[in-house]
Amino acid sequence: MGRLRIIDRDAVLTAAERVVSRDGAARLTIEAVAAEAGISKASVLYDYKTKQALIKAIVERRVAAECERVRKIIEELGAAPDSAIQGCIAAAANRSLSDADREVALCLTAALAQDPELRAPIQEKCRQQIAEILETSSRPRNALLAFLALEGLKLLECLGIYTWPEDERKRLLEDISGLAAGKLAAEPGRSAQG
């Protein structure tokens, strides 16, 4: 009978995220994660044989957490029209990235750019999300355009390229919601045909 395993995989991934945030994905090592987690290198290697496996697990965990967060919001909307795209918009409205989250995302982006296998979980999430949006939308083309606008807004923020003032961000999200529903708000002082 083997020893009882007491190493928490989430704790190892959290330690890996701290290393990535502090040192960058390029400097992520099994040894650095072990030191950060306060465990042996062998304990890290038990679950994550390579640096790539560790990064992939971080990406998968973050994708799964975000999918679950969005799924709960969509479920709260129930059978409302356009619930998938409106749920994505509501999720964006209810989330702002912490500096630590942004730092990890930036560092992981470099690793993702260099390794197609690491992009696979994100690509699959995106495929599923687009399919669900198209299947559940009363105006699929509008919903797809709204999704693209939403992802562009989130990407600019995530990469630290641009941070919208809160009131403008709220209006943009309202416009994206209106676009999905086919009811894009007119600019102040202009008619909807404009």
Side-chain angles (χ1 to χ4, degrees), residues 119-120 122-133:
R119 292 191 297 270
I122 298 169
Q123 290 169 327
E124 182 57 29
K125 172 203 168 254
C126 193
R127 271 191 289 279
Q128 290 173 355
Q129 203 168 25
I130 290 170
E132 182 180 14
I133 287 168

Side-chain angles (χ1 to χ4, degrees), residues 146-158 162 164 176:
F147 176 76
L148 292 170
L150 180 64
E151 291 302 307
L153 180 141
K154 290 171 25 183
L155 186 62
L156 289 172
E157 292 175 338
C158 181
Y162 191 82
W164 301 98
I176 292 170

